[in-house]
Amino acid sequence: MRLPLPRSEIRCQLNIPFFLGDAYFIGCDGYIIMFDVTKKSTYDSVPEWYKDSQRQNDRPVVLVGNKWDVLQRQVAKKDVRFHAKKGLHYYEVSAKAGYYLKAPFLSLARALVQDQHLTFIDHNDEHKLDDSKSPNKGATDIAKKDE
């Protein structure tokens, strides 16, 4: 007889396609919409990308601003408000430097399994991401949905 795994031991794999058109939204359970804080045009596209992501059904979305470590920002953190309007979590990361990369994925995974205590276990220390150097450490950028 096989016993079910406790929730704390559930293993899953995240399949993350890169956005290349509407076809990639089909069959997805959730989305990470990423824009470049050094290119305002990418932030201006976020509402359209969000609308596209919700065409199939209401799915969890996390908004991510990339390149937080670049000084030549065109999108100031205080000007990023789309997430608050839609009740989305927002994170700023640096893909190049590897800072704070786990947080958006963990946020999305928690929304998908509806468990805010879910954690990631990294079995490969050499690829471990160091979120301790992130400017978001301890940040409260998570917006609540409007009642």
Side-chain angles (χ1 to χ4, degrees):
M1 176 170 93
R2 290 184 67 172
L3 297 175
L5 286 173
R7 274 183 80 81
S8 63
E9 295 182 23
I10 293 174
R11 296 175 188 261
C12 69
Q13 179 176 339
L14 298 175
N15 293 315
I16 306 163
F18 289 96
F19 175 72
L20 297 173
D22 288 346
Y24 284 89
F25 286 121
I26 296 171
C28 291
D29 294 319
Y31 308 94
I32 292 178
I33 296 176
M34 182 179 287
F35 68 95
D36 181 342
V37 301
T38 67
K39 293 182 181 166
K40 187 174 182 313
S41 63
T42 62
Y43 181 68
D44 292 342
S45 297
V46 166
E48 188 65 26
W49 296 337
Y50 177 79
K51 186 176 102 179
D52 289 344
S53 75
Q54 298 304 293
R55 254 190 252 166
Q56 298 299 315
N57 281 318
D58 186 30
R59 303 283 192 220
V61 175
V62 175
L63 182 62
V64 177
N66 189 30
K67 298 186 183 177
W68 70 262
D69 53 338
V70 177
L71 298 177
Q72 299 83 10
R73 288 181 74 125
Q74 290 184 359
V75 183
K77 190 169 184 175
K78 66 179 177 59
D79 295 330
V80 177
R81 294 187 290 258
F82 182 81
H83 68 290
K85 294 176 190 173
K86 298 295 182 181
L88 308 177
H89 292 207
Y90 173 67
Y91 299 93
E92 290 197 346
V93 304
S94 173
K96 181 178 180 181
Y99 295 134
Y100 215 55
L101 296 176
K102 284 192 288 188
F105 292 96
L106 182 58
S107 177
L108 183 59
R110 286 176 173 170
L112 290 170
V113 299
Q114 299 177 342
D115 181 356
Q116 292 305 305
H117 301 289
L118 177 79
T119 59
F120 288 158
I121 299 171
D122 188 349
H123 294 286
N124 190 353
D125 285 340
E126 65 193 47
H127 295 292
K128 199 169 200 173
L129 302 174
D130 185 1
D131 286 350
S132 66
K133 298 174 186 165
S134 169
N136 294 328
K137 182 118 176 109
T140 55
D141 286 341
I142 298 173
K144 293 182 180 175
K145 289 189 177 184
D146 293 331
E147 300 293 329

